[in-house]
């Protein structure tokens, strides 16, 4: 059982991580300072490097926390392959997961930091690779339960769905008055279902 001091340290770390994630999403990593994080979190500026070592260490901790949040929110498919009645239901469950993920505050953070992740030598490049790997793997496991037509692999379709879902969310963040993410995800479901799900007469 954690001591009171250890519990206080954990609570302080969590408040710092929440504040930093919000600020990185709103202002970007480079524009955010320890002073900003201290003001938002209510934790003294000097405590931040004590908890995380450096600004880069704080950034990596924020992304790790966000990745864990994503993993915890992804519902795994049943062990048994879907029967005819469960195919559409399983597919809808996969798309509902994409919708729920898009609504999470952490998704904006990933969009904001994407350019920095692509820069040579970026400390967060590996985290982004892991995030996309996690999303594709989750999507693939659902798709592997479906009787996909010949020539259409679950892996390739997972790449397509994840890429489209991320792109929809990016467009909505840039122009929320012009992009309806619900309509876009519904269109994505219809397009992918037409290509991936078997057609039953009647």
């Amino acid at each position: 059982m954690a001591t009171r001091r250890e519990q206080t340290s954990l609570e302080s770390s969590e408040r710092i991580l929440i504040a930093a994630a919000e600020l990185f999403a709103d202002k970007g990593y480079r524009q955010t300072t320890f002073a900003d994080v201290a003001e938002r979190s209510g934790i003294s500026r000097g405590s931040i490097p004590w908890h995380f070592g450096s600004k880069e260490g704080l950034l990596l901790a924020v992304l790790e926390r966000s990745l864990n949040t994503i993993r915890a929110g992804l519902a795994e498919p049943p062990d048994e392959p879907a029967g005819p009645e469960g195919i559409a239901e399983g597919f809808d469950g996969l798309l509902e997961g994409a919708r729920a993920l898009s609504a999470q505050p952490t998704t904006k953070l990933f969009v904001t930091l994407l350019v920095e992740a692509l820069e040579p030598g970026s400390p967060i490049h590996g985290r982004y690779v892991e995030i996309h790997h996690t999303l594709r793997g989750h999507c693939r496991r659902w798709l592997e339960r479906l009787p996909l037509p010949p020539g259409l692999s679950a892996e390739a379709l997972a790449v397509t769905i994840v890429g489209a879902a991320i792109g929809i969310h990016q467009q909505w963040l840039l122009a929320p008055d012009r992009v309806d993410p619900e309509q876009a995800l519904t269109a994505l479901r219809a397009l992918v279902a037409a290509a991936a799900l078997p057609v039953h007469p009647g």
Side-chain angles (χ1 to χ4, degrees), residues 7 18 73 89 91 97 116 172 188-189:
Q7 184 62 34
I18 292 171
E89 181 181 346
F91 191 76
E116 295 183 44
W172 173 71
L188 174 62
R189 189 248 185 256

Side-chain angles (χ1 to χ4, degrees), residues 146-168:
L146 307 180
L148 300 179
L152 183 60
S153 71
E155 179 66 31
L157 190 53
V159 172
T160 302
I161 292 174
V162 170
I166 291 174
I168 290 169

Side-chain angles (χ1 to χ4, degrees), residues 14-169:
E14 184 68 8
R15 287 168 60 183
I16 293 169
L17 288 172
I18 292 171
E22 293 172 351
L23 288 164
F24 291 160
D26 292 340
K27 300 177 61 174
Y29 171 66
R30 289 190 177 87
Q31 300 303 315
T32 298
T33 66
F34 276 174
D36 295 328
V37 178
E39 181 180 0
R40 178 72 64 93
S41 66
I43 305 297
S44 68
R45 184 190 181 285
S47 295
I48 300 173
W50 184 84
H51 283 284
F52 300 101
S54 64
K55 187 178 175 184
E56 181 179 308
L58 175 59
L59 174 61
L60 293 174
V62 165
L63 288 177
E64 187 64 28
R65 179 181 181 274
S66 299
L67 179 55
N68 289 336
T69 299
I70 288 176
R71 286 172 173 154
L74 295 177
E76 289 298 314
D79 294 333
E80 296 298 323
E85 299 81 7
I87 291 174
E89 181 181 346
F91 191 76
D92 286 338
L94 174 62
L95 268 296
E96 183 58 37
R99 181 177 287 106
L101 183 62
S102 296
Q104 290 188 17
T106 52
T107 308
K108 182 181 178 182
L109 171 68
F110 298 141
V111 173
T112 304
L113 297 177
L114 177 60
V115 173
E116 295 183 44
L118 293 173
E119 292 180 353
S122 168
I124 63 174
H125 176 81
R127 290 295 194 282
Y128 265 71
V129 170
E130 182 63 23
I131 289 166
H132 287 180
H133 177 73
T134 296
L135 294 175
R136 289 195 304 270
H138 171 74
C139 189
R140 187 190 68 250
R141 288 191 292 276
W142 274 95
L143 293 170
E144 285 172 345
R145 300 178 65 247
L146 307 180
L148 300 179
L152 183 60
S153 71
E155 179 66 31
L157 190 53
V159 172
T160 302
I161 292 174
V162 170
I166 291 174
I168 290 169
H169 189 68

